[in-house]
Amino acid sequence: QAQLVESGGGLVQAGGSLRLSCAASVRTFSTYAMGWFRQAPGKEREFVAAISWSGGSTFYSDLAKGRFTISRDNDKITIYLQMNTLQSEDTGVYYCAADFDSRAVVDGTTDYWGQGTQVTVSS
C-alpha cells in the first residue's frame, strides 16, 4: 500500500529552524509532484509548498516564500521542507501530499496524504 510518512516535527523557539521529511513507500512517487500543507488549530488546511517530480520546479505560498525551501531526493523517494525563522503562526500539523498531477498537489484535491507531523513554535 502506498504511503507517505512525515517526520521531523517538534517544538522549537521562535526564530529557530526545523527540517521536515516525507518518505514515500513506493517508487512510483518518484514520478509524482509532491508538496506540503499545514493546518493550524481551528483553521482549514492550507498550501505551503510543492515541487515537481524532477525537482526542477517549485511553488510556494506567500507564507513560505523567503523562509521555507522545498527539495526532494528521488533516490530516497523523499521530499524535505527546510523551515527557517519560524514564528508562532507556523504552529500546526504539517502534511505531505503527492499526485501525478501537480495541480492536484497545489490545490489539495489529491487523494494521497501523509498522517502529518506536529510543529509547535513557542514565542
Side-chain angles (χ1 to χ4, degrees):
Q1 183 178 355
Q3 287 185 316
L4 300 170
V5 180
E6 302 95 334
S7 61
L11 175 64
V12 63
Q13 288 188 333
S17 298
L18 278 176
R19 188 194 195 205
L20 306 183
S21 299
C22 172
S25 62
V26 293
R27 184 144 296 279
T28 302
F29 283 117
S30 66
T31 64
Y32 278 32
M34 298 179 71
W36 293 95
F37 282 70
R38 74 182 188 188
Q39 187 167 21
K43 295 187 177 181
E44 294 188 353
R45 188 153 52 186
E46 62 180 345
F47 171 73
V48 176
I51 188 166
S52 63
W53 72 270
S54 67
S57 297
T58 55
F59 313 90
Y60 294 95
S61 65
D62 287 343
L63 68 90
K65 288 178 182 176
R67 297 190 301 130
F68 297 178
T69 302
I70 189 170
S71 61
R72 70 187 295 159
D73 182 338
N74 280 342
D75 288 338
K76 297 180 179 179
I77 329 172
T78 299
I79 66 167
Y80 306 95
L81 186 68
Q82 177 67 43
M83 305 187 294
N84 299 327
T85 321
L86 285 163
Q87 304 162 5
S88 57
E89 306 89 84
D90 296 314
T91 292
V93 179
Y94 284 69
Y95 296 91
C96 177
D99 204 282
F100 185 76
D101 184 347
S102 61
R103 293 170 297 182
V105 173
V106 174
D107 65 18
T109 57
T110 180
D111 292 330
Y112 297 106
W113 294 92
Q115 83 290 347
T117 186
Q118 176 70 45
V119 171
T120 303
V121 184
S122 63
S123 57

